[in-house]
Amino acid sequence: MSEPLTLDSGVRALRGVGDKRARQLEKLSLFTLRDFLTYFPRDYEDRSCIYTVAGAPDGQRCCVRAIAGTQPHTARLHGGLNVSKARAFDDTGTLELVFFNRPYVRTQLIPGREYIFFGRAEADGRGRRMTNPEFEPAGQADGSAGRIVPVYPLAEGVTRNMITQGVRAALLAADNRFEDPLPPAASAGLMPLGEAYRAIHFPRSADEAAQARRRLIFEEFFIFSLASLCMKQRAQRPASVLLAPRDAESFFSALPFSPTAAQRRCIAECFAGMTGGTRMHRLVQGDVGSGKTLVAAACVWLAAQNGAQAAVMAPTELLARQHLNTFTELLAPFGVRTALLTSGMGKKQRSALLHALECGEIDLLCGTHALLEPDVRFHAPALLVIDEQHRFGVRQRAALSEK
């Protein structure tokens, strides 16, 4: 008999999720059911209105209820493509259905049965046409028709159904028992936390989704403000590792390019903070390609020059690997030893890496949430770099900082 799911259950506990699916979900930073709760939709599709064929608004994505009139017929096109066509109808007209590279619809659309089709309705003579519509049997209890449907950021191999399955399982596991971080005075007038998690993923109306979003955004800013105050106080504490200053020109001279004035200024400010005798907390912001990674690499160099270690935590394995490659290339001339830690590593490989880390044989460790595991122990940690820090919770950032 399987154990009941909890918010700390891994994604492999979900029905139909094996090792391959789990790795695909982990690329989206979905490791446990709890992660699904905070994997918020990027948008919504309003499928609450269901139209007749003739009443479908031209050029808009909408739901149309119609009966499949013909079984899809598939024909091959040039370049190896194929197109499947079928017709559906109701009392008001005919809906032509066109599917590209979806020959399996032949077994999914059964003539005589009523379906809800969702797609862009376009005028086609006296009827309407939909290209590559989604569809489901009319009256399906867990269907998306008649609802406001969340739209999530996806990755290769990850579908919306997989995300919604995880969210439903997480809500069921939580059973509306949430520890609200907001004091009563701060949460007055806001949607309760458990209801907000349900409404942000499965809103009954656009207004309910807006209320849920307001509640969760307020909580995030509230905690961020408290964390900022705590960090400001902690910044006055003496640094646990005292780093000696180094001339940044030694680092710049080994680069294949010349840093900009802004990059040099930012690096100088970071070096001053790292060698000032108190803990440094610094947010580096800039457009893509502005040199944020170069600034971080310079700070790693300074730590390594002092015989200390650094860690770089990224929200996804893909980003962590990219950082490893970039940092390795920039720091190779100085003999900085780099390594990557991910949740998908084999037991033997992981054990060897952690031993080397604890013995001081690794200067820079890049990774994802795997860095937070209790068995990840450093020899002489001095610097923590968090990429896209807003993707990590306050407790997660604090847990790694305490290492």
Side-chain angles (χ1 to χ4, degrees):
M1 184 175 179
S2 60
E3 296 182 359
L5 294 180
T6 69
L7 289 179
D8 294 321
S9 297
V11 295
R12 288 171 176 80
L14 294 171
R15 179 173 51 85
V17 177
D19 290 343
K20 181 179 179 181
R21 288 269 191 253
R23 287 193 295 270
Q24 292 168 334
L25 288 169
E26 287 169 0
K27 289 181 180 179
L28 295 174
S29 297
L30 297 171
F31 298 89
T32 67
L33 295 192
R34 190 184 306 275
D35 296 325
F36 281 94
L37 289 179
T38 54
Y39 195 72
F40 300 135
R42 61 174 174 80
D43 201 357
Y44 298 92
E45 290 177 344
D46 189 351
R47 304 189 186 186
S48 57
C49 294
I50 300 178
Y51 296 90
T52 62
V53 172
D58 188 36
Q60 296 183 25
R61 292 172 64 81
C62 63
C63 288
V64 173
R65 182 192 297 266
I67 298 171
T70 61
Q71 195 168 34
H73 172 73
T74 302
R76 283 199 167 277
L77 302 176
H78 293 295
L81 301 177
N82 62 69
V83 58
S84 302
K85 293 184 178 182
R87 289 181 180 272
F89 67 92
D90 65 6
D91 293 339
T92 68
T94 301
L95 179 67
E96 183 178 10
L97 308 169
V98 181
F99 303 92
F100 289 99
N101 290 329
R102 291 170 61 182
Y104 49 84
V105 297
R106 179 177 177 82
T107 61
Q108 295 177 333
L109 271 179
I110 301 174
R113 290 193 181 179
E114 190 174 41
Y115 295 89
I116 305 294
F117 299 94
F118 178 77
R120 191 176 306 281
E122 299 174 315
D124 182 34
R126 289 176 295 178
R128 290 285 191 276
R129 171 188 292 186
M130 278 189 179
T131 302
N132 286 331
E134 298 177 38
F135 61 89
E136 62 188 50
Q140 183 170 299
D142 60 347
S144 60
R147 306 172 187 265
I148 295 178
V149 179
V151 179
Y152 297 97
L154 301 175
E156 183 180 359
V158 179
T159 65
R160 176 163 51 193
N161 287 340
M162 291 171 63
I163 301 296
T164 55
Q165 177 196 355
V167 173
R168 292 185 190 279
L171 290 172
L172 186 62
D175 194 24
N176 207 31
R177 293 193 294 268
F178 293 96
E179 183 181 348
D180 195 335
L182 297 182
S187 60
L190 296 174
M191 181 179 285
L193 181 58
E195 183 64 14
Y197 278 131
R198 195 274 310 161
I200 197 71
H201 292 286
F202 307 114
R204 300 186 183 97
S205 65
D207 180 65
E208 189 178 61
Q211 289 185 47
R213 186 171 181 271
R214 179 171 177 266
R215 165 60 169 84
L216 295 169
I217 288 177
F218 180 87
E219 176 186 320
E220 183 174 345
F221 274 99
F222 184 86
I223 295 176
F224 181 78
S225 298
L226 290 181
S228 297
L229 288 174
C230 291
M231 291 169 64
K232 185 176 181 179
Q233 293 174 351
R234 288 175 58 190
Q236 305 307 315
R237 294 161 57 186
S240 55
V241 179
L242 187 61
L243 301 181
R246 292 289 189 274
D247 185 359
E249 289 302 325
S250 299
F251 173 74
F252 296 147
S253 62
L255 296 176
F257 55 86
S258 180
T260 66
Q263 291 166 353
R264 288 172 178 267
R265 182 176 64 252
C266 188
I267 290 172
E269 291 174 357
C270 288
F271 278 19
M274 293 174 66
T275 59
T278 58
R279 295 191 180 189
M280 179 186 76
H281 297 273
R282 187 173 298 272
L283 177 65
V284 180
Q285 293 178 297
D287 295 333
V288 175
S290 61
K292 298 185 295 295
T293 303
L294 175 64
V295 173
C299 294
V300 173
W301 172 83
L302 178 60
Q305 291 294 304
N306 279 267
Q309 295 170 300
V312 175
M313 185 166 71
T316 67
E317 183 175 327
L318 178 61
L319 270 176
R321 290 185 181 278
Q322 289 176 349
H323 283 318
L324 176 72
N325 295 335
T326 302
F327 279 101
T328 300
E329 181 179 354
L330 290 173
L331 298 171
F334 307 101
V336 175
R337 298 162 296 182
T338 61
L340 176 70
L341 177 65
T342 67
S343 58
M345 293 181 68
K347 185 176 181 180
K348 185 175 181 180
Q349 182 185 11
R350 175 187 172 87
S351 178
L353 185 148
L354 294 183
H355 176 73
L357 180 70
E358 193 168 7
C359 292
E361 298 171 4
I362 295 174
D363 302 311
L364 170 63
L365 182 64
C366 298
T368 58
H369 295 74
L371 298 180
L372 302 174
E373 295 297 324
D375 59 347
V376 179
R377 293 183 289 270
F378 293 83
H379 175 71
L383 175 68
L384 166 62
V385 179
I386 303 179
D387 187 24
E388 297 190 27
Q389 57 88 26
H390 61 282
R391 297 275 297 274
F392 297 96
V394 174
R395 293 186 182 90
Q396 290 175 316
R397 298 198 296 270
L400 187 56
S401 179
E402 289 303 316
K403 288 180 179 289

mmCIF file of all heavy atoms in Angstrom, residues 340-355:
data_model
loop_
_atom_site.group_PDB
_atom_site.id
_atom_site.type_symbol
_atom_site.label_atom_id
_atom_site.label_comp_id
_atom_site.label_asym_id
_atom_site.label_seq_id
_atom_site.Cartn_x
_atom_site.Cartn_y
_atom_site.Cartn_z
ATOM 1 N N LEU A 340 30.125 20.595 -11.092
ATOM 2 C CA LEU A 340 28.673 20.757 -11.192
ATOM 3 C C LEU A 340 27.992 19.703 -10.330
ATOM 4 O O LEU A 340 28.325 18.519 -10.389
ATOM 5 C CB LEU A 340 28.220 20.598 -12.648
ATOM 6 C CG LEU A 340 26.715 20.636 -12.906
ATOM 7 C CD1 LEU A 340 26.174 22.050 -12.680
ATOM 8 C CD2 LEU A 340 26.393 20.179 -14.330
ATOM 9 N N LEU A 341 26.999 20.138 -9.532
ATOM 10 C CA LEU A 341 26.203 19.220 -8.718
ATOM 11 C C LEU A 341 24.744 19.341 -9.121
ATOM 12 O O LEU A 341 24.160 20.424 -9.066
ATOM 13 C CB LEU A 341 26.360 19.559 -7.228
ATOM 14 C CG LEU A 341 25.511 18.725 -6.261
ATOM 15 C CD1 LEU A 341 25.941 17.265 -6.304
ATOM 16 C CD2 LEU A 341 25.595 19.268 -4.843
ATOM 17 N N THR A 342 24.149 18.226 -9.559
ATOM 18 C CA THR A 342 22.740 18.199 -9.930
ATOM 19 C C THR A 342 22.051 17.035 -9.241
ATOM 20 O O THR A 342 22.703 16.105 -8.748
ATOM 21 C CB THR A 342 22.556 18.063 -11.451
ATOM 22 O OG1 THR A 342 23.032 16.759 -11.856
ATOM 23 C CG2 THR A 342 23.314 19.143 -12.194
ATOM 24 N N SER A 343 20.737 17.078 -9.215
ATOM 25 C CA SER A 343 19.967 16.021 -8.542
ATOM 26 C C SER A 343 20.008 14.711 -9.310
ATOM 27 O O SER A 343 19.720 13.655 -8.757
ATOM 28 C CB SER A 343 18.513 16.463 -8.367
ATOM 29 O OG SER A 343 17.932 16.777 -9.620
ATOM 30 N N GLY A 344 20.378 14.760 -10.600
ATOM 31 C CA GLY A 344 20.368 13.551 -11.412
ATOM 32 C C GLY A 344 21.681 12.786 -11.410
ATOM 33 O O GLY A 344 21.824 11.809 -12.147
ATOM 34 N N MET A 345 22.648 13.201 -10.587
ATOM 35 C CA MET A 345 23.939 12.525 -10.568
ATOM 36 C C MET A 345 23.822 11.137 -9.950
ATOM 37 O O MET A 345 22.996 10.901 -9.070
ATOM 38 C CB MET A 345 24.959 13.345 -9.775
ATOM 39 C CG MET A 345 25.346 14.660 -10.411
ATOM 40 S SD MET A 345 26.584 15.549 -9.439
ATOM 41 C CE MET A 345 27.993 14.478 -9.642
ATOM 42 N N GLY A 346 24.676 10.233 -10.417
ATOM 43 C CA GLY A 346 24.728 8.906 -9.839
ATOM 44 C C GLY A 346 25.284 8.960 -8.422
ATOM 45 O O GLY A 346 26.024 9.881 -8.060
ATOM 46 N N LYS A 347 24.958 7.941 -7.623
ATOM 47 C CA LYS A 347 25.347 7.932 -6.210
ATOM 48 C C LYS A 347 26.863 7.954 -6.047
ATOM 49 O O LYS A 347 27.407 8.698 -5.223
ATOM 50 C CB LYS A 347 24.758 6.700 -5.531
ATOM 51 C CG LYS A 347 24.985 6.652 -4.041
ATOM 52 C CD LYS A 347 24.284 5.455 -3.411
ATOM 53 C CE LYS A 347 24.510 5.426 -1.902
ATOM 54 N NZ LYS A 347 23.823 4.252 -1.280
ATOM 55 N N LYS A 348 27.563 7.156 -6.853
ATOM 56 C CA LYS A 348 29.027 7.069 -6.739
ATOM 57 C C LYS A 348 29.681 8.379 -7.158
ATOM 58 O O LYS A 348 30.597 8.874 -6.484
ATOM 59 C CB LYS A 348 29.533 5.918 -7.607
ATOM 60 C CG LYS A 348 31.015 5.658 -7.473
ATOM 61 C CD LYS A 348 31.426 4.423 -8.283
ATOM 62 C CE LYS A 348 32.918 4.151 -8.131
ATOM 63 N NZ LYS A 348 33.326 2.943 -8.919
ATOM 64 N N GLN A 349 29.198 8.954 -8.261
ATOM 65 C CA GLN A 349 29.759 10.216 -8.754
ATOM 66 C C GLN A 349 29.499 11.343 -7.755
ATOM 67 O O GLN A 349 30.378 12.166 -7.485
ATOM 68 C CB GLN A 349 29.149 10.559 -10.112
ATOM 69 C CG GLN A 349 29.699 11.834 -10.738
ATOM 70 C CD GLN A 349 28.987 12.199 -12.034
ATOM 71 O OE1 GLN A 349 27.943 11.604 -12.363
ATOM 72 N NE2 GLN A 349 29.529 13.156 -12.759
ATOM 73 N N ARG A 350 28.295 11.364 -7.200
ATOM 74 C CA ARG A 350 27.936 12.400 -6.225
ATOM 75 C C ARG A 350 28.810 12.291 -4.968
ATOM 76 O O ARG A 350 29.292 13.296 -4.442
ATOM 77 C CB ARG A 350 26.466 12.264 -5.852
ATOM 78 C CG ARG A 350 26.000 13.221 -4.760
ATOM 79 C CD ARG A 350 24.571 12.900 -4.341
ATOM 80 N NE ARG A 350 24.181 13.674 -3.179
ATOM 81 C CZ ARG A 350 23.667 14.886 -3.204
ATOM 82 N NH1 ARG A 350 23.479 15.480 -4.369
ATOM 83 N NH2 ARG A 350 23.342 15.521 -2.103
ATOM 84 N N SER A 351 29.004 11.073 -4.495
ATOM 85 C CA SER A 351 29.801 10.851 -3.294
ATOM 86 C C SER A 351 31.232 11.340 -3.492
ATOM 87 O O SER A 351 31.812 11.988 -2.608
ATOM 88 C CB SER A 351 29.793 9.365 -2.930
ATOM 89 O OG SER A 351 30.588 9.123 -1.801
ATOM 90 N N ALA A 352 31.813 11.048 -4.660
ATOM 91 C CA ALA A 352 33.177 11.483 -4.945
ATOM 92 C C ALA A 352 33.263 13.003 -5.010
ATOM 93 O O ALA A 352 34.224 13.614 -4.516
ATOM 94 C CB ALA A 352 33.653 10.860 -6.253
ATOM 95 N N LEU A 353 32.261 13.641 -5.627
ATOM 96 C CA LEU A 353 32.251 15.099 -5.749
ATOM 97 C C LEU A 353 32.151 15.755 -4.370
ATOM 98 O O LEU A 353 32.880 16.717 -4.070
ATOM 99 C CB LEU A 353 31.107 15.538 -6.646
ATOM 100 C CG LEU A 353 31.027 17.041 -6.977
ATOM 101 C CD1 LEU A 353 30.444 17.242 -8.366
ATOM 102 C CD2 LEU A 353 30.171 17.786 -5.964
ATOM 103 N N LEU A 354 31.243 15.259 -3.523
ATOM 104 C CA LEU A 354 31.056 15.850 -2.204
ATOM 105 C C LEU A 354 32.303 15.673 -1.335
ATOM 106 O O LEU A 354 32.639 16.549 -0.528
ATOM 107 C CB LEU A 354 29.835 15.231 -1.525
ATOM 108 C CG LEU A 354 28.489 15.522 -2.183
ATOM 109 C CD1 LEU A 354 27.345 14.917 -1.374
ATOM 110 C CD2 LEU A 354 28.269 17.023 -2.343
ATOM 111 N N HIS A 355 32.989 14.557 -1.506
ATOM 112 C CA HIS A 355 34.236 14.341 -0.761
ATOM 113 C C HIS A 355 35.291 15.360 -1.194
ATOM 114 O O HIS A 355 35.987 15.954 -0.350
ATOM 115 C CB HIS A 355 34.753 12.922 -0.996
ATOM 116 C CG HIS A 355 36.069 12.644 -0.345
ATOM 117 N ND1 HIS A 355 36.209 12.479 1.022
ATOM 118 C CD2 HIS A 355 37.327 12.522 -0.878
ATOM 119 C CE1 HIS A 355 37.484 12.265 1.307
ATOM 120 N NE2 HIS A 355 38.175 12.281 0.182
#
